[in-house]
Amino acid sequence: MPTYYKWRSAKIQTQKHEYPSLEVTNHPLRVEVRNLKLNASKSFIQSLHKWSSSFEELDPLLRFEQMNLEHNLDPIEKSDDAINYSKIWSVKCTAILNKYTTGEKLTIISSYLPGGEKTLLRQVSNLNEKVKHRLEQLDDFDETSVRKTMGLSQQEFVTKIHMLDDEIKKAWDTEQRVKAFKIAIQCSKLLSDINVMQFYPSKFVLICDVLDNFGTLVFNRLKKKSFGSDSVKFEDIDTNLVPESARETCQNWMFKMASIRELLPRLYMEMALLKCYVFISKQEIKPAIVRLIKMIRGIGNPLVAIYVRVYLCKVASSLFGKESECYFYDNLKEFLEEYQQIFQPAMAKKFGTQLLTADQYLSLYIPAIDWLFSGTLNTVPCKITFLEELLQVCDNTENSELLLCCLLSAFDSPNIIKKSSDILGIIHKSAEHMVLLSQILTSLGEHLCHAEAYRQPSSEALSQTWWKIANNMKSTADFLQVLEPWLQFACTQLSIQHINMLLRGTIRYMIKSSKPADGYSSQIRSAIKRMLKSIPDVEELFLMDAFMPLVELVQTSSARTMMAKTVLSVFFERYNSVQIEDHIIIASLMRLCCILHDSINAVTVEDETKVCADLINKFIQTVSYQDDFQQQLNFYVDCRSAFIKLDSVLVTLVHGVHALSTRAGGARGGWLPRACAAYCFVTVPSLQCALARAQLYLLGAHAALLGACVGQAEANLKALVGLIPDIPQYIQEDGQNKPTHDRVLGLLCNFLSTLLILPDNMDSNSKAYILSGFIKIMERIHWKKTDPLYYTLLLRTLDLLCHMTQEKYVYHIDGVLSNDELYGSEEEFIEVLENHATNICQEILVVLKALGDVKETKKQYNLALELFWRIIKRSDLKESSMTSLAVNLWVLSQKMQDSNNNFAKTMLSALESDTSAEGRRLFDKLKAM
């Protein structure tokens, strides 16, 4: 058992110092701004780049994306004048393959799939027999060699096409070029089959790749035979330099192609081999394209015919680039001449037997027409004039909706906006018969969303016209699809009254609909989200009487929750003001927050709960009733009852009430600080986390003391003391167990600092009874004595006891009578404090011994010096017990000191500067050791 030492605190005399003052012209913490003289040829960003580049790190995903962009950027794309049609084609192909899918069974006809090939092997001795043998192979298409594979799924069909592509490459590599040619012909024949129309655009893309690969094989062979190298580009080939043998070989391929009896495969094969004409005569290529444009007229099926034109334009663009744009225009004119064939009864019967709707059938033509438009628009001199011509064609043509739909997607927004009235007039004239009405109106609305003019009379006329059309639409899904862009247009161009009328009409339409709104919740939410993002002042939406009814039109819990989350998220993203003061907006947001809160249950995941809590917290933090403190407190009371499930929201409410209490500084000791303190004291026990409760109790005590509500502060501190044993050593955060050691230490040190200004309750029989209760709690908690948390708290408690024995405390709160004034250094009060200090000192000596027993010499060394420092600075060295304890601690520290003993040297220097006689005697005594 350590020797008993009676603690006696020293009376510290406060001294006033006169410090010299200096006049300064600049604030010492002001950042010095230097003017940089920049090179006139460099921008500011470029000048700073060499300084910032070493600190900038590109996001890894963005780095890969940037690398891909740089890799895909070829010389054609870098040019400002040229257009990379290959890139455009690749993007369109990807979109086609993703959109045009089917679940129907497909058929493929070929004699060269595994298990179906028929090979004719014959030894030939001379060139004539070799040519004759190849012609026999070319003509060998008897029924026994062709195999039809039926019942294929979409994925199986794609696999078969890839297998045929591989067969072409294998046959080519094994000198079986006629076989490769026959496979390509059979692939092109597949494009005459429209038994599964829905998949036709994707089938076209797949087979085009096969034909392109075959054409490349032939071209590369002829190029190698002509120049002995594959590095020569098409545009660099001089026909006059092609050797006669290569020219004859090329003519042989053309003769083989011309011998194909059926029109469709002959056209496709000639297009695939079109660039090979360069080995005969480069001047023959463009006339051949013109001839092919006219030959396509012989194809009776309009769907098959337009995709042949697409492939012809694709091949021409790969050969001639910008020079090929005239062929796009020629093919588009040919298509317009044959336009009515799309709607012939035979085609209607075909897609009807396949259970396709009219809009699904017409949508098959859209990718092809878009491709023809993409090149045509680059060759016309005046786009607005061309648009007027096409609109005139649409106005005079029956069933013009397909053409109208495609030109809306092809032309840019400025031109469409200029002719929006004419376009809407054409739509209005034929709206009852249009099967693509929703797509056309949606596309027009998207263009109008880019209009720059604001609130013009023409905008209101447009809105009235489209509403007349949309209001008569039978499909609710189509109506909502059209509604989304037109509502955005209304938000940017029209008045609040007009937008409100549209919302009312939308509600009436949804109520009259045969299906409940819950089935269309995602579309309604998407439309509302665009409104919130596009309207200039987002607060105006909540002032409309139809907005909240539209938001709450859906009734299922999940749909209402998603709607509320969407509205709140976008609102707080766009809300620019610091505070919300309008009562209508507050009530609307409160309703949405309640929907979010009520959706939380026992099975709600933690991330979802956190998102909801964050949105509710933003709402609470932005609501302000200015100087109406009672109304603000009532709002917090309503929020507490509405959001009782969310701890983080309750914490936000407590902080808000404390801020309100602080703002009401003029009413110190009045009803508001007491009401705020009562609110917090009642709310905090609802929290699940003991550490959070303890922190808020301490914060409540601070707020109560600032409001001169000593009783409420005392109640909070008592509750905090009783809560200390319940604070866990670890808490769950972000899925991990994190220690609470540092937080608890900071909390309790703050608590001890607060006790210095808290006056005792005079009705209590105990002096410093809250501090006494804290010391007893520390004795009851089974803390490990060698834990730094434990002995650090002992040292901080000793510091507090020393300060509480002073005649005047170092800090006070206005209006609060602390114990220095309350007791006036009463001996009984001082004796109680010094008894506590003695016990604390004895406990620290026990800890020192325990540290020595477990060989924690470093901790023991530091703790001994910490206690030594408090003795020489805060104890009365006239007492022999204090001097004796200081000497013993110094001796103990010197036994354990290491090479780095600056800590001890600093303390000894401080003791040397002590002017008191007791301090000098102790210094001399220690120095002599």
Side-chain angles (χ1 to χ4, degrees):
M1 183 70 183
T3 307
Y4 183 81
Y5 296 97
K6 174 67 175 176
W7 183 275
R8 182 73 65 182
S9 299
K11 303 298 181 183
I12 302 175
Q13 302 295 328
T14 58
Q15 299 179 358
K16 294 184 179 181
H17 300 277
E18 294 291 337
Y19 295 102
S21 60
L22 297 174
E23 183 178 358
V24 294
T25 57
N26 293 324
H27 193 282
L29 300 181
R30 181 181 177 183
V31 177
E32 184 178 358
V33 179
R34 296 184 178 182
N35 295 324
L36 299 177
K37 185 176 181 181
L38 302 178
N39 190 339
S41 62
K42 294 183 178 180
S43 67
F44 179 69
I45 299 299
Q46 291 173 333
S47 301
L48 293 181
H49 178 70
K50 66 177 182 179
W51 303 107
S52 61
S53 58
S54 59
F55 302 101
E56 295 174 356
E57 178 65 24
L58 188 65
D59 186 286
L61 298 179
L62 294 179
R63 185 188 298 114
F64 286 126
E65 182 179 356
Q66 187 179 42
M67 291 169 61
N68 291 334
L69 290 176
E70 293 173 354
H71 177 73
N72 294 330
L73 200 65
D74 55 21
I76 295 179
E77 190 176 68
K78 292 178 182 177
S79 174
D80 294 333
D81 299 328
I83 296 176
N84 188 350
Y85 283 102
S86 298
K87 183 73 173 179
I88 298 174
W89 174 257
S90 177
V91 173
K92 288 186 178 293
C93 287
T94 303
I96 289 173
L97 292 173
N98 289 333
K99 180 178 180 180
Y100 296 96
T101 59
T102 183
E104 299 293 329
K105 296 301 180 182
L106 302 168
T107 301
I108 191 169
I109 300 175
S110 176
S111 56
Y112 295 99
L113 287 171
E117 58 272 306
K118 179 181 179 181
T119 306
L120 182 62
L121 300 176
R122 184 189 301 173
Q123 297 294 330
V124 293
S125 58
N126 55 40
L127 181 61
N128 291 334
E129 290 185 5
K130 182 177 181 181
V131 173
K132 183 179 178 181
H133 171 57
R134 288 187 174 179
L135 291 175
E136 288 176 355
Q137 281 187 302
L138 188 61
D139 291 333
D140 183 24
F141 276 113
D142 58 321
E143 295 298 328
T144 59
S145 67
V146 178
R147 185 163 60 94
K148 179 186 287 189
T149 306
M150 304 175 64
L152 297 174
S153 66
Q154 175 183 319
Q155 186 58 45
E156 290 171 341
F157 182 87
V158 173
T159 303
K160 297 291 185 185
I161 295 297
H162 290 325
M163 290 172 62
L164 288 174
D165 191 19
D166 293 337
E167 286 295 321
I168 290 176
K169 296 175 182 177
K170 291 177 183 177
W172 193 269
D173 294 338
T174 56
E175 301 294 329
Q176 300 182 63
R177 297 185 178 87
V178 173
K179 177 182 176 181
F181 187 58
K182 291 170 68 175
I183 297 174
I185 294 172
Q186 290 184 347
C187 287
S188 63
K189 283 185 176 183
L190 294 175
L191 291 175
S192 63
D193 179 17
I194 59 168
N195 289 327
V196 185
M197 284 188 181
Q198 189 175 354
F199 186 63
Y200 189 85
S202 293
K203 180 167 68 172
F204 166 78
V205 169
L206 294 170
I207 293 177
C208 280
D209 287 341
V210 177
L211 297 178
D212 287 341
N213 293 335
F214 174 74
T216 301
L217 290 173
V218 176
F219 180 79
N220 288 338
R221 180 173 182 270
L222 293 173
K223 185 170 59 174
K224 189 173 183 180
K225 196 167 187 178
S226 300
F227 305 104
S229 172
D230 292 339
S231 60
V232 181
K233 296 182 180 180
F234 167 80
E235 55 270 18
D236 297 332
I237 294 177
D238 187 353
T239 305
N240 299 323
L241 300 179
V242 176
E244 190 63 28
S245 60
R247 192 187 309 272
E248 290 180 0
T249 304
C250 181
Q251 289 175 341
N252 186 29
W253 279 108
M254 295 307 170
F255 291 150
K256 291 176 184 178
M257 174 269 299
S259 68
I260 301 173
R261 291 187 295 271
E262 297 180 33
L263 176 61
L264 185 64
R266 187 166 72 249
L267 288 173
Y268 272 116
M269 294 310 298
E270 184 170 0
M271 294 174 195
L273 299 176
L274 196 61
K275 58 183 174 182
C276 295
Y277 275 113
V278 72
F279 299 103
I280 301 175
S281 175
K282 186 176 287 188
Q283 285 71 30
E284 291 188 19
I285 300 179
K286 292 183 178 180
I289 294 175
V290 175
R291 173 174 51 81
L292 289 169
I293 291 175
K294 296 178 180 179
M295 289 178 66
I296 296 174
R297 298 173 183 173
I299 300 176
N301 191 305
L303 182 61
V304 175
I306 192 171
Y307 277 98
V308 177
R309 298 191 183 279
V310 167
Y311 187 60
L312 178 58
C313 293
K314 186 262 177 188
V315 173
S317 65
S318 66
L319 296 180
F320 301 110
K322 189 170 181 60
E323 295 179 14
S324 67
E325 291 167 356
C326 59
Y327 304 123
F328 283 83
Y329 189 24
D330 293 340
N331 277 283
L332 180 62
K333 289 190 291 185
E334 291 285 336
F335 165 72
L336 293 177
E337 291 292 333
E338 305 165 355
Y339 180 74
Q340 291 302 330
Q341 292 184 11
I342 296 174
F343 305 94
Q344 60 186 348
M347 294 302 297
K349 184 177 180 180
K350 283 184 179 293
F351 74 74
T353 56
Q354 296 181 26
L355 302 179
L356 291 179
T357 59
D359 60 325
Q360 290 174 329
Y361 165 68
L362 292 180
S363 68
L364 301 177
Y365 292 86
I366 292 177
I369 303 173
D370 283 344
W371 175 247
L372 297 181
F373 266 122
S374 65
T376 302
L377 290 178
N378 294 320
T379 190
V380 294
C382 181
K383 291 185 180 180
I384 190 66
T385 303
F386 184 54
L387 176 60
E388 291 173 351
E389 294 175 1
L390 290 175
L391 289 178
Q392 188 66 32
V393 173
C394 292
D395 198 17
N396 299 328
T397 303
E398 187 180 359
N399 300 318
S400 62
E401 55 183 307
L402 176 60
L403 180 59
L404 187 61
C405 178
C406 291
L407 68 87
L408 281 172
S409 62
F411 282 85
D412 54 0
S413 294
N415 288 315
I416 293 294
I417 292 171
K418 291 177 183 178
K419 292 297 176 182
S420 56
S421 298
D422 297 337
I423 296 172
L424 206 54
I426 297 173
I427 298 172
H428 192 211
K429 187 187 300 184
S430 308
E432 295 181 0
H433 309 290
M434 285 186 173
V435 296
L436 295 177
L437 179 61
S438 62
Q439 194 168 344
I440 294 172
L441 273 179
T442 301
S443 182
L444 179 59
E446 294 289 354
H447 283 294
L448 290 172
C449 289
H450 296 90
E452 295 181 359
Y454 183 60
R455 292 186 178 177
Q456 293 185 350
S458 59
S459 299
E460 188 168 346
L462 287 173
S463 182
Q464 291 174 352
T465 305
W466 86 265
W467 178 256
K468 291 177 183 178
I469 301 171
N471 198 35
N472 294 322
M473 296 176 71
K474 296 180 180 179
S475 171
T476 306
D478 291 344
F479 169 80
L480 292 173
Q481 178 185 348
V482 173
L483 179 69
E484 185 176 334
W486 282 95
L487 273 182
Q488 180 180 346
F489 167 71
C491 288
T492 55
Q493 302 293 326
L494 303 176
S495 64
I496 298 301
Q497 293 77 11
H498 193 100
I499 301 172
N500 198 31
M501 289 174 59
L502 291 177
L503 297 183
R504 290 176 185 172
T506 302
I507 295 172
R508 287 194 299 268
Y509 183 95
M510 296 302 299
I511 292 175
K512 289 189 299 182
S513 177
S514 58
K515 297 182 180 179
D518 296 329
Y520 308 99
S521 61
S522 61
Q523 289 180 281
I524 298 174
R525 186 171 70 251
S526 180
I528 291 175
K529 186 175 182 179
R530 288 187 69 166
M531 289 180 64
L532 287 163
K533 288 189 173 182
S534 57
I535 194 167
D537 187 357
V538 70
E539 293 181 75
E540 291 180 341
L541 276 177
F542 290 91
L543 301 178
M544 302 177 194
D545 57 13
F547 178 71
M548 283 303 294
L550 179 62
V551 170
E552 299 194 61
L553 200 60
V554 293
Q555 295 299 317
T556 59
S557 176
S558 59
R560 286 161 64 87
T561 302
M562 289 300 298
M563 187 73 74
K565 189 184 301 181
T566 299
V567 174
L568 289 171
S569 299
V570 180
F571 176 81
F572 287 116
E573 284 176 7
R574 294 206 55 214
Y575 188 70
N576 297 322
S577 301
V578 179
Q579 297 173 337
I580 303 175
E581 301 177 10
D582 191 282
H583 295 264
I584 297 176
I585 299 176
I586 292 174
S588 300
L589 295 177
M590 183 73 174
R591 173 62 182 154
L592 295 173
C593 290
C594 288
I595 293 174
L596 278 187
H597 174 269
D598 295 342
S599 68
I600 297 173
N601 50 44
V603 297
T604 304
V605 296
E606 184 179 353
D607 290 343
E608 184 71 16
T609 303
K610 187 177 180 180
V611 170
C612 294
D614 288 343
L615 290 173
I616 296 173
N617 286 336
K618 288 180 181 178
F619 164 64
I620 293 172
Q621 290 165 354
T622 53
V623 171
S624 173
Y625 289 91
Q626 295 301 327
D627 294 333
D628 192 346
F629 298 143
Q630 182 173 0
Q631 186 67 24
Q632 186 79 38
L633 184 59
N634 291 339
F635 167 74
Y636 290 138
V637 172
D638 294 338
C639 289
R640 181 178 60 187
S641 61
F643 310 128
I644 195 65
K645 297 179 184 178
L646 298 171
D647 279 9
S648 62
V649 175
L650 295 179
V651 171
T652 300
L653 287 171
V654 171
H655 285 296
V657 173
H658 288 326
L660 177 64
S661 176
T662 306
R663 281 170 52 201
R668 295 178 58 81
W671 68 270
L672 183 61
R674 291 196 299 273
C676 291
Y679 176 98
C680 298
F681 191 74
V682 172
T683 306
V684 170
S686 303
L687 301 177
Q688 297 180 358
C689 179
L691 180 59
R693 294 204 303 272
Q695 291 170 335
L696 291 180
Y697 276 134
L698 181 59
L699 185 63
H702 292 166
L705 287 173
L706 289 174
C709 302
V710 178
Q712 285 82 353
E714 181 182 319
N716 277 279
L717 293 177
K718 285 175 64 177
L720 169 59
V721 172
L723 194 61
I724 293 174
D726 299 330
I727 298 177
Q729 293 184 353
Y730 297 91
I731 58 175
Q732 188 97 10
E733 283 187 358
D734 299 328
Q736 298 179 348
N737 286 330
K738 296 186 177 180
T740 60
H741 178 282
D742 294 336
R743 299 187 191 184
V744 171
L745 180 60
L747 170 72
L748 295 181
C749 289
N750 196 345
F751 161 75
L752 292 172
S753 300
T754 307
L755 289 183
L756 183 65
I757 54 176
L758 179 72
D760 267 352
N761 189 339
M762 302 310 295
D763 295 334
S764 174
N765 295 327
S766 174
K767 307 290 185 182
Y769 76 104
I770 292 184
L771 178 58
S772 302
F774 172 72
I775 295 173
K776 291 179 180 178
I777 287 291
M778 288 184 64
E779 294 173 355
R780 288 209 323 252
I781 299 175
H782 298 291
W783 274 332
K784 189 176 180 181
K785 292 189 181 297
T786 56
D787 187 352
L789 171 64
Y790 178 65
Y791 59 74
T792 302
L793 283 177
L794 291 176
L795 292 172
R796 297 293 183 270
T797 306
L798 184 60
D799 292 337
L800 172 64
L801 291 168
C802 292
H803 281 290
M804 291 182 71
T805 59
Q806 305 303 313
E807 295 181 356
K808 190 169 184 61
Y809 295 166
V810 292
Y811 52 85
H812 296 82
I813 291 182
D814 293 340
V816 176
L817 195 67
S818 298
N819 286 335
D820 56 344
E821 299 179 8
L822 186 64
Y823 287 108
S825 298
E826 182 184 12
E827 292 184 2
E828 183 180 354
F829 177 68
I830 299 298
E831 184 179 356
V832 170
L833 296 178
E834 292 189 342
N835 287 336
H836 284 314
T838 300
N839 295 333
I840 294 293
C841 183
Q842 294 300 122
E843 184 64 19
I844 294 175
L845 296 179
V846 172
V847 172
L848 279 171
K849 184 177 184 304
L851 288 172
D853 294 339
V854 296
K855 308 300 182 182
E856 292 279 1
T857 56
K858 184 67 175 178
K859 292 181 180 179
Q860 189 182 25
Y861 170 72
N862 290 331
L863 180 57
L865 288 179
E866 289 278 3
L867 184 56
F868 173 78
W869 173 257
R870 282 160 176 79
I871 292 173
I872 64 175
K873 299 302 291 183
R874 292 177 181 156
S875 71
D876 188 357
L877 294 179
K878 295 178 182 179
E879 295 290 329
S880 58
S881 61
M882 292 291 93
T883 305
S884 176
L885 178 57
V887 171
N888 291 338
L889 290 171
W890 181 259
V891 172
L892 176 63
S893 66
Q894 292 304 301
K895 290 180 181 178
M896 298 178 294
Q897 70 176 354
D898 53 13
S899 59
N900 185 17
N901 58 351
N902 292 331
F903 193 19
K905 292 178 180 179
T906 302
M907 292 184 180
L908 196 61
S909 299
L911 183 61
E912 183 181 6
S913 62
D914 192 351
T915 57
S916 64
E918 296 80 9
R920 294 299 304 171
R921 282 197 298 270
L922 179 59
F923 174 76
D924 294 338
K925 193 172 185 179
L926 297 178
K927 194 68 174 176
M929 291 183 179

